Amino acid sequence: MIGAYLIGIIVMVVSLYVQWRLKSKFNEYSQVGLSIGLSGKEIAEKMLRDNGIHDVRVVSVEGMLTDHYNPQDKTVNLSSDVFYGRSVSAAAVSAHECGHAVQHATAYSWLKFRSQMVPFLTVSSRYMQWVILAGILMINTSIIPLAIGVALFAATTLFSFITLPVEYDASNRALAWIQNNRVVNEREYGMASDALKWAARTYLVAALGSLATLLYYVSLLMGRRD
C-alpha cells in the first residue's frame, strides 16, 4: 500500500515537472520568429495541401495549448497564439495537428483503434469513478463492483497507451514535413523537435500515471480476493 502511494507521488511530481517544462519550452520558442515568416494557419494549410487533403478546415480556438484535430468535423483547431503566430512554436504545433489530419486521411491504424474506443470511454468515464468508489466501500461485502470499476479503468489505461504511438507518429510526420519543405532552418528544426518531444512526454507521463493507479486498484481487488 505504501509502495503504491509512493509511486503515485513520484508520478505526480514528474507530471508537474513535465508540464512546467512544456509550457516554458513553448513560451521560449514562441519568442523565436520563424525565418520563413509564415503563420501557424498558413503552415497548416500548406501541409494539408501538400498531403492532398482539401476537406479539412483550419480554425482558431480560445485558450492556451488547446490545439487539436477533430476527426468528426475535420477541423484543425489552433489556439490564437498558434493560429496567428509566426514563431517556431506555432510551426511545430500547427504541423503536429496536421499530422493527425494526415493520419486520418491515410487510415492510420492506431488512430482508427483509438477513435473506435472513444464512444465507449465517453460513456464509461461518467460512471467509472462512482463505480470504483462504490466498489471500495463495498469491498468487504462483494468484489463485483470494484472488479467492474477496475475493468473500466483498465480500458482508460489502454486508451492512454494507444494514444502514445498516435502522438509520436503525428510529431514525426510534422518534423519530417517542416524539414523537407524548408519551413524551418536547422536551428529552428532543433527547437521544434525539442518542443514536440516535451509535448509527447506529457502523454507518456499520463499513461504511466494511469497504469500506476490501475495497479493500485488491482492490488486492492487481489488483496480482497486473497
Side-chain angles (χ1 to χ4, degrees):
M1 188 71 71
I2 295 178
Y5 282 125
L6 181 60
I7 292 174
I9 292 172
I10 292 173
V11 170
M12 181 180 67
V13 171
V14 172
S15 177
L16 291 174
Y17 173 74
V18 171
Q19 288 285 349
W20 172 75
R21 288 291 289 171
L22 173 63
K23 290 181 180 179
S24 66
K25 288 290 182 180
F26 273 90
N27 286 335
E28 177 185 350
Y29 299 145
S30 67
Q31 305 302 315
V32 180
L34 202 62
S35 57
I36 200 173
L38 295 177
S39 68
K41 173 180 181 290
E42 293 167 335
I43 290 171
E45 291 175 339
K46 176 173 172 52
M47 183 171 174
L48 292 173
R49 288 196 306 269
D50 287 353
N51 283 275
I53 301 173
H54 304 287
D55 58 348
V56 172
R57 296 180 298 116
V58 182
V59 300
S60 177
V61 294
E62 297 298 322
M64 180 181 179
L65 298 179
T66 52
D67 314 88
H68 65 281
Y69 170 67
N70 187 337
Q72 301 301 319
D73 60 7
K74 291 189 174 183
T75 56
V76 171
N77 300 266
L78 303 177
S79 57
S80 297
D81 288 344
V82 173
F83 189 86
Y84 297 106
R86 300 176 186 274
S87 65
V88 171
S89 288
V93 173
S94 59
H96 172 86
E97 298 308 332
C98 285
H100 289 306
V102 176
Q103 290 174 336
H104 189 200
T106 57
Y108 179 59
S109 58
W110 284 109
L111 180 64
K112 287 179 63 177
F113 189 16
R114 184 178 182 273
S115 298
Q116 290 168 354
M117 293 185 68
V118 169
F120 170 75
L121 290 176
T122 299
V123 175
S124 66
S125 62
R126 298 175 186 173
Y127 309 104
M128 180 176 64
Q129 294 299 332
W130 294 107
V131 173
I132 290 175
L133 177 60
I136 292 174
L137 294 175
M138 298 172 60
I139 196 168
N140 292 321
T141 304
S142 171
I143 64 170
I144 293 177
L146 183 57
I148 294 173
V150 168
L152 293 176
F153 199 91
T156 300
T157 301
L158 177 62
F159 183 82
S160 297
F161 277 93
I162 291 173
T163 295
L164 295 179
V166 174
E167 293 300 326
Y168 278 97
D169 179 77
S171 290
N172 290 337
R173 291 174 190 263
L175 291 170
W177 181 82
I178 62 175
Q179 183 178 49
N180 294 337
N181 289 273
R182 299 181 180 179
V183 174
V184 293
N185 58 34
E186 185 175 349
R187 172 173 170 268
E188 293 163 352
Y189 177 84
M191 294 178 180
S193 177
D194 187 40
L196 291 181
K197 283 178 181 178
W198 280 105
R201 285 166 185 157
T202 63
Y203 291 98
L204 177 59
V205 172
L208 293 175
S210 183
L211 177 61
T213 303
L214 174 63
L215 293 177
Y216 167 71
Y217 290 142
V218 169
S219 69
L220 289 181
L221 181 62
M222 299 306 292
R224 179 61 185 89
R225 289 182 63 181
D226 293 340

